[in-house]
Amino acid sequence: ASDVYKRQGMYNICLSQDSDWQQKGNIYTSNKYGCAIEKPEGWTIKILEGKLSNPLNVFMVQMFSPDFDAHILFVAQKNINNLNAEEAIKVDITQIKANKQIEFNLITGGATIVDGYSNAHQIVDKIRYGGTTYTQWRIYVSTEDYIYAIIFNAIGEGSYSKYKNTFQEILESVRLP
């Protein structure tokens, strides 16, 4: 999987000229969206804004581990259907299960708190796609305007336990408006 990321050029730090995301040390902050996230030492980051693959997305922050065996996705999406966090996760699970090439297994799930937001929901799942196993920890926070998704993706057996503490530290660094 790491070669896939490298071929796609996702290992470059990317802040577009019109981006309002600012870097101070390892903390990346957007005044426009009122969000912040801290990048672990040695990880790479890519920040995308504007026209993304999903027209509802307003920004996407991607971070990659030094060995490219784990990555984090922090996305803000317009909440046009006024979904709560649990409903938003269910929509994503339905879309994943619709892909017959993906084997999806829910491990656990439930309510959580992110940056003081008690309306957050999380799941841990395993998917198998193309002969590779991915363990994912998905956390969603719903506000009136946006759904924020923080998705930790560990690639291959053993990567989730290797990065679980790092994932927790990144989650604790997330700041929402």
Side-chain angles (χ1 to χ4, degrees):
S2 62
D3 290 339
V4 172
Y5 293 140
K6 290 178 184 178
R7 281 197 307 272
Q8 292 176 350
M10 293 184 176
Y11 56 91
N12 296 320
I13 295 175
C14 174
L15 285 172
S16 59
Q17 289 182 338
D18 59 349
S19 173
D20 92 311
W21 284 84
Q22 302 296 316
Q23 175 187 0
K24 190 171 192 176
N26 283 338
I27 299 173
Y28 291 77
T29 305
S30 169
N31 291 324
K32 181 177 180 181
Y33 300 111
C35 296
I37 191 166
E38 187 170 351
K39 176 186 75 69
E41 199 64 46
W43 287 51
T44 55
I45 189 166
K46 185 172 185 175
I47 298 174
L48 305 167
E49 291 181 78
K51 295 181 181 179
L52 302 167
S53 59
N54 183 333
L56 296 178
N57 290 349
V58 294
F59 74 77
M60 181 184 313
V61 177
Q62 297 173 311
M63 289 188 267
F64 300 88
S65 66
D67 294 330
F68 293 92
D69 57 347
H71 84 281
I72 289 105
L73 187 63
F74 177 33
V75 179
Q77 189 175 81
K78 294 175 189 169
N79 192 358
I80 61 169
N81 294 317
N82 200 27
L83 299 175
N84 66 36
E86 186 175 9
E87 292 167 335
I89 282 184
K90 287 179 181 177
V91 167
D92 278 0
I93 290 172
T94 300
Q95 291 173 345
I96 292 167
K97 287 181 173 181
N99 184 337
K100 298 302 178 198
Q101 297 177 357
I102 296 176
E103 178 186 322
F104 176 87
N105 294 299
L106 179 65
I107 297 171
T108 188
T112 191
I113 297 173
V114 176
D115 191 32
Y117 284 86
S118 59
N119 58 342
H121 198 80
Q122 66 182 339
I123 66 167
V124 175
D125 63 73
K126 267 194 181 182
I127 63 172
R128 188 158 178 78
Y129 178 74
T132 303
T133 300
Y134 303 84
T135 304
Q136 300 179 83
W137 179 15
R138 302 167 185 266
I139 301 104
Y140 286 57
V141 178
S142 176
T143 67
E144 187 177 318
D145 297 321
Y146 297 107
I147 295 170
Y148 298 94
I150 306 127
I151 302 169
F152 302 104
N153 192 7
I155 304 158
E157 295 298 331
S159 290
Y160 184 77
S161 53
K162 176 181 172 183
Y163 290 107
K164 189 174 180 183
N165 290 339
T166 303
F167 291 167
Q168 183 66 44
E169 290 170 12
I170 295 167
L171 179 61
E172 291 171 6
S173 81
V174 169
R175 296 295 168 254
L176 299 172

